[in-house]
Amino acid sequence: MLIVFIGPPGSGKGTQARRLLDYLHIPHFSTGELLREARASGSSLGQMAAQYMDQGRLVPDALVLAMVDEKLRAPQYAKGCLFDGFPRTVPQARAFDESLAKRGTPLARVLELKADNDELIARMLRRASAERRTDDNPQTISHRMEVYRQQTEPLLDYYRFRGILTPIDAMGTPDEVFERIKAAVNKTP
Ligand code: B4P
């Protein structure tokens, strides 16, 4: 089963992906985590990506797609996967579709996590003090929200049109949100 999580920063993509992978026993593929790992490794990709991430901008499609293409060749992703934070733009979604068509593995479901702006900001500010992520500061957070509206929200129509988009209320505790996600996944053919 191939599942995609789409949602604004702070909506719980990473949080819920970790729960769902334990439930479905499929691997987790987070472009945010891969980019943070690339950055920590000091690779040229990581250094380039860091400049965008620290400003709250999306890493350019060509860089992300090259990284995804290489990583997705690993056999562990052949049967099923939970994509968290990818695709994030319409060009990424189109390239992703082409690659899935070649593999003969269509997307089963796209889950859209929805939460109020004030709650999203509060969550990221709490994470800022706990984890010290370089992109969790008030200025960058507000830019990331704007980038989501401009560059990622158009993807919702792309998947809604195909009948595979399910909105999930991401307000409430992580356990409450996870119950809604499980219900949506269990209805997926
Ligand atoms: P991501 O790593 O995807 O980060 P994010 O959008 O902030 O979401 P994340 O998954 O980390 O947070 P979550 O909502 O779970 O991306 C970071 C950056 O990488 C992007 O800005 C971009 O620059 C780059 N990037 C990544 N993918 C890319 C792509 N495909 N193309 C281009 N660039 C890309 O949780 C946030 C906090 O809320 C946590 O502390 C969590 O504990 C808390 N929380 C979650 N659910 C909660 C709940 N129900 N109640 C209370 N707190 C909750």
Side-chain angles (χ1 to χ4, degrees):
M1 187 184 262
L2 292 182
I3 297 179
V4 165
F5 271 163
I6 295 182
S11 58
K13 299 182 297 291
T15 306
Q16 297 299 334
R18 281 184 281 279
R19 288 163 183 249
L20 193 56
L21 64 95
D22 280 343
Y23 180 69
L24 292 178
H25 303 289
I26 55 176
H28 178 204
F29 192 102
S30 158
T31 39
E33 272 178 24
L34 288 172
L35 291 166
R36 281 187 288 280
E37 279 167 22
R39 171 198 200 135
S41 76
S43 67
S44 54
L45 166 73
Q47 286 174 19
M48 267 189 275
Q51 294 169 24
Y52 294 91
M53 295 167 83
D54 288 350
Q55 293 172 23
R57 295 161 67 197
L58 292 184
V59 175
D61 290 335
L63 280 186
V64 172
L65 289 170
M67 176 185 78
V68 168
D69 199 46
E70 193 212 311
K71 297 275 174 193
L72 270 188
R73 287 190 202 148
Q76 78 208 69
Y77 300 117
K79 289 211 174 123
C81 187
L82 182 50
F83 292 91
D84 154 14
F86 175 84
R88 235 168 167 110
T89 63
V90 172
Q92 287 182 18
R94 293 215 172 99
F96 188 41
D97 276 346
E98 279 171 27
S99 134
L100 293 180
K102 276 187 210 146
R103 290 159 46 134
T105 49
L107 276 183
R109 185 100 335 239
V110 176
L111 301 175
E112 176 201 0
L113 300 185
K114 295 167 74 118
D116 297 347
N117 271 7
D118 289 351
E119 169 67 10
L120 297 173
I121 292 167
R123 288 181 189 177
M124 282 183 283
L125 291 176
R126 278 199 296 273
R127 180 169 65 185
S129 52
E131 295 179 22
R132 300 191 170 275
R133 239 173 72 169
T134 48
D135 56 349
D136 280 341
N137 59 71
Q139 201 186 354
T140 309
I141 288 171
S142 99
H143 189 58
R144 284 158 65 200
M145 309 278 258
E146 189 53 34
V147 165
Y148 177 78
R149 271 189 290 276
Q150 286 182 4
Q151 298 189 48
T152 306
E153 274 189 355
L155 267 184
L156 300 174
D157 277 343
Y158 181 85
Y159 289 123
R160 191 177 293 117
F161 182 71
R162 285 168 48 182
I164 56 171
L165 183 76
T166 303
I168 302 283
D169 175 6
M171 297 290 286
T173 67
D175 284 346
E176 287 166 346
V177 178
F178 186 54
E179 287 306 312
R180 295 173 199 138
I181 289 176
K182 270 199 300 189
V185 165
N186 288 336
K187 274 194 223 144
T188 300

